[in-house]
Amino acid sequence: MRLSALRPIALASLLALAACGPKIEKPPEPESTQVDSLAGVDLNAPLSVIGTEPFWSLSLTERDVTFERPGDDAQVFPRHLFEINKDKSGPKRAELLSNEISLTLIAQTCSDGMSDRVYPLTAEVNFGDEVLKGCATPTAKLESEKP
């Protein structure tokens, strides 16, 4: 048999062996990961989130998120875990998402605009069609600083 006749067989064998090797796949995007603290604030502890114009507040306990506005009945939702938001650039963020309400906390100090108090976190709440801006702090710290 001539050497040139063996080339197509050798090439086919080589391609067959290459096809048997491990496929190189792109690794999957990392999932959002649970975060326990942001800017030194324990996100598993009770948190208070407040906003002005219009006035509103969120109270986060171990189990619930309570949304309140003056003149309206309080609305209570189950509390979910915070996750790091990997899609945003800028300051570190943590998100608490549910079908009813979402809360994004940003590692950036915040002022309520009505007092000299400085809060460790900036907050953004999506509730229905509304986007509400405010500030967040551990509930224990807020209560200890009351006049």
Side-chain angles (χ1 to χ4, degrees), residues 3 26 32 45 73 81 108 116 124 126 129 136-138 141:
L3 189 55
K26 182 180 175 186
S32 293
D73 291 335
L81 298 174
Q108 191 171 48
D116 293 334
E124 184 176 291
N126 288 293
D129 294 334
T137 192
K141 183 176 181 188

Side-chain angles (χ1 to χ4, degrees), residues 50-119:
I50 62 164
T52 58
E53 299 185 33
F55 287 101
W56 59 271
S57 69
L58 281 179
S59 300
L60 287 78
T61 65
E62 285 181 12
R63 303 167 98 163
D64 299 319
V65 175
T66 303
F67 179 72
E68 296 182 270
R69 286 193 234 213
D72 291 344
D73 291 335
Q75 298 180 29
V76 181
F77 309 104
R79 181 173 176 169
H80 299 275
L81 298 174
F82 279 96
E83 295 182 353
I84 293 173
N85 184 325
K86 63 180 174 134
D87 298 327
K88 305 277 184 177
S89 59
K92 192 173 180 182
R93 298 166 181 252
E95 291 184 326
L96 181 145
L97 305 172
S98 74
N99 292 334
E100 301 88 3
I101 195 166
S102 69
L103 168 62
T104 301
L105 297 177
I106 305 162
Q108 191 171 48
T109 58
C110 180
S111 171
D112 60 18
M114 299 188 67
S115 70
D116 293 334
R117 182 176 283 154
V118 176
Y119 299 83

Side-chain angles (χ1 to χ4, degrees), residues 1-54:
M1 193 177 246
R2 295 184 60 131
L3 189 55
S4 61
L6 293 176
R7 278 191 185 158
I9 295 171
L11 184 58
S13 298
L14 188 58
L15 289 173
L17 284 174
C20 293
K23 291 183 180 179
I24 298 174
E25 294 182 21
K26 182 180 175 186
E29 287 280 326
E31 294 291 321
S32 293
T33 55
Q34 178 185 341
V35 62
D36 293 321
S37 68
L38 184 66
V41 175
D42 179 0
L43 298 180
N44 297 314
L47 299 174
S48 293
V49 185
I50 62 164
T52 58
E53 299 185 33

